[in-house]
Amino acid sequence: MGKIGVGLVGWGTVGCGVIQTLRENADVIESRLGARLELLRVADLDLERQRPVSVPRQMLTTRMEDILGDPEIQIVIELMGGLKAARTLIVSALENGKHVVTANKALLAHHGNELFALARQKGLSLSFEASVGGGIPIVKSLREGLAGNRITTIFGILNGTANYILTRMSDNGLSFADALKEAQSLGYAEADPTLDVEGIDTAHKLAIAGAIAFGTPVQFDRVHTEGISKIDPVDIQFAEEFGYAIKLLAIARNVDGRLEMRVHPTLIPENHVLAGVKGAYNAIHLEGNAVGDVMLYGMGAGMMPTGSAVVSDLIDAARDILQGTPGRIPALAFLPDRGQKIEIKPVSDISTSYYFRFLALDKPGVLSKISGVLGSRGISIAAVIQKGRHADSVPIVMVTHEALESSVREALAEIDKLDLVLAPTTLIRIEDNASRV
Ligand code: HSE
């Protein structure tokens, strides 16, 4: 039985999941691969910290060079996270003729195009299943399982921390701050939760998934990104009254040859399949022109689920080594000379429906003033709720029909200047036409 040597850089949570999976499932992996995946070295700067999975002392090192310079190691797993050092490691591994597996979505969102080009030039693979949706095989599904399709739409819940927080706010009435504290105490959210709650982590993942789905380079800097930190429980209650749930959605769709790629809190019909995705789970709902609707659901983070995705990449890389076919499947699904840079629409050009919450003086004529401004910009109101009263102010909540975002922005700027309006208006986009699987 042949063997393929593997080196791991980053003995953290996911690293432990990889080591444990390789140990527990060695027999099935061997049966599928026809060779043994042999973990030869594990590198980390801190070798003393207690971990859930132990490693024999002689395999451990603090020096990446011990992995990069080991001729027995054919595949390097990068699980250190961060940008600079991880980029250096991946470039060095490729320069040293080693295939690379990474879970680093931030790195690929920022530097993926350059790293994929280098891997291709070297005839090596750079695999990244774990970077989008943790244990859910989203990359493989888009790149291989759905390769016969034109993908038309992606709707994803791609951040477990944000979804956990929204779930606790909607199901248990917690404030954003209390739900965040709870997520931190459970180990979902980092001490600095910015990447998760401000939608940046979701945007990293959408930039990668969107590139594979639509055959365009990774364009993270063009993804419109908003987070959930300004969502008030009152918006969740009003949304429910209108028959919607609020989710932090990653949305990508091809509209007449231009792409929408955006991440923001979104009202989706309460009977949409993504509305039932609760807690720290992730899900992605795809539409292909041949297959129709596809829904993938599972754990988007965690030691074993993410480890599962890394190991699946290892097996693919090992198969290509054994067959002599590295690069058989293009990293971003399309051949680099065939994909094209598709323009991503600025958010001002999208058309969708909107939820607005105005805080206004409770006086005769307020509603007609507000609706007058909306009407003058061609924005049609579908439903209104006004209730409750705090001293002289009252929340007025509206749902609109589809309107152009630039018109909506202009209307709200005008409305927020009215003396009758007491606070900046809350805007949340609605995806009414998201198909219901
Ligand atoms: N922090 C992410 C989440 C997992 O909460 O889903 C890693 O991308």
Side-chain angles (χ1 to χ4, degrees):
M1 172 93 50
K3 60 184 183 190
I4 303 282
V6 176
L8 167 63
V9 183
W11 184 23
T13 305
V14 178
C16 286
V18 172
I19 298 167
Q20 189 159 321
T21 304
L22 288 174
R23 283 180 190 157
E24 273 179 10
N25 296 346
D27 54 342
V28 286
I29 293 170
E30 262 184 49
S31 303
R32 288 178 177 138
L33 183 59
R36 212 167 63 235
L37 285 175
E38 197 169 356
L39 184 62
L40 297 174
R41 297 308 287 262
V42 174
D44 200 289
L45 290 177
D46 174 3
L47 300 179
E48 305 310 322
R49 182 161 45 96
Q50 282 298 309
R51 272 102 164 166
V53 174
S54 63
V55 173
R57 194 82 209 176
Q58 69 276 12
M59 276 172 63
L60 290 170
T61 177
T62 55
R63 292 161 29 95
M64 281 193 231
E65 299 74 29
D66 291 339
I67 287 183
L68 295 172
D70 184 339
E72 300 284 303
I73 291 178
Q74 292 170 275
I75 309 174
V76 173
I77 308 172
E78 182 279 304
L79 296 177
M80 23 184 338
L83 295 183
K84 198 159 176 255
R87 181 188 188 185
T88 305
L89 170 69
I90 291 179
V91 169
S92 308
L94 293 170
E95 299 283 2
N96 279 276
K98 298 183 191 308
H99 302 268
V100 175
V101 175
T102 180
N104 194 332
K105 56 234 126 205
L107 179 67
L108 294 180
H110 288 280
H111 302 296
N113 297 322
E114 154 218 329
L115 294 171
F116 293 130
L118 179 63
R120 191 169 171 82
Q121 182 202 330
K122 298 279 173 195
L124 296 161
S125 57
L126 169 55
S127 318
F128 52 97
E129 181 63 69
S131 67
V132 185
I136 313 172
I138 292 174
V139 172
K140 208 172 187 52
S141 300
L142 276 169
R143 198 164 57 185
E144 298 175 52
L146 300 173
N149 284 263
R150 287 178 200 283
I151 303 295
T152 50
T153 313
I154 296 177
F155 284 109
I157 294 174
L158 297 177
N159 186 275
T161 305
N163 200 51
Y164 179 85
I165 291 171
L166 288 176
T167 302
R168 293 289 283 149
M169 289 174 73
S170 66
D171 291 5
N172 309 92
L174 267 65
S175 66
F176 170 79
D178 287 345
L180 170 60
K181 256 186 237 145
E182 192 179 273
Q184 282 170 324
S185 71
L186 289 169
Y188 295 139
E190 308 279 337
D192 176 358
T194 311
L195 287 181
D196 290 327
V197 302
E198 297 306 344
I200 303 160
D201 174 76
T202 304
H204 289 152
K205 295 166 178 168
L206 181 67
I208 298 167
I212 299 170
F214 298 106
T216 187
V218 180
Q219 298 185 63
F220 167 67
D221 55 350
R222 301 286 299 142
V223 179
H224 176 82
T225 306
E226 295 170 28
I228 60 165
S229 58
K230 296 196 184 74
I231 297 289
D232 192 302
V234 83
D235 294 314
I236 295 178
Q237 287 156 20
F238 280 124
E240 280 170 7
E241 291 195 34
F242 284 118
Y244 294 105
I246 300 185
K247 292 290 183 189
L248 180 66
L249 277 203
I251 300 170
R253 66 155 77 81
N254 191 336
V255 186
D256 302 329
R258 284 203 298 167
L259 290 183
E260 287 182 15
M261 277 214 207
R262 45 192 169 102
V263 172
H264 50 70
T266 312
L267 269 67
I268 51 172
E270 63 196 355
N271 61 350
H272 189 281
V273 68
L274 289 177
V277 174
K278 302 274 186 170
Y281 275 87
N282 281 197
I284 191 161
H285 170 222
L286 309 161
E287 283 174 26
N289 68 339
V291 71
D293 294 301
V294 173
M295 166 85 174
L296 300 164
Y297 170 87
M299 283 303 290
M303 171 172 139
M304 296 306 286
T306 314
S308 158
V310 171
V311 172
S312 110
D313 274 348
L314 275 181
I315 294 171
D316 271 355
R319 281 188 173 134
D320 276 340
I321 293 170
L322 293 166
Q323 304 289 329
T325 54
R328 188 177 69 88
I329 299 167
L332 290 177
F334 286 66
L335 290 168
D337 55 345
R338 295 292 185 88
Q340 38 171 319
K341 189 158 182 174
I342 309 176
E343 188 194 338
I344 296 181
K345 276 190 188 186
V347 76
S348 54
D349 283 7
I350 70 162
S351 281
T352 189
S353 329
Y354 293 84
Y355 161 102
F356 302 137
R357 177 167 51 84
F358 306 99
L359 188 66
L361 285 179
D362 197 4
K363 285 198 171 157
V366 172
L367 198 52
S368 75
K369 272 236 153 86
I370 291 175
S371 50
V373 175
L374 294 173
S376 72
R377 309 269 173 184
I379 301 159
S380 162
I381 299 163
V384 182
I385 299 177
Q386 175 184 333
K387 63 177 172 188
R389 195 172 194 189
H390 309 284
D392 283 335
S393 70
V394 64
I396 301 169
V397 182
M398 277 182 195
V399 166
T400 72
H401 291 297
E402 212 167 284
L404 184 65
E405 175 121 352
S406 55
S407 306
V408 165
R409 293 275 170 197
E410 284 166 16
L412 293 191
E414 197 175 318
I415 289 168
D416 286 353
K417 277 195 220 132
L418 297 173
D419 291 342
L420 301 161
V421 172
L422 304 173
T425 299
T426 300
L427 168 160
I428 309 177
R429 297 178 190 85
I430 301 177
E431 281 296 330
D432 247 334
N433 298 327
S435 46
R436 298 149 205 214
V437 180

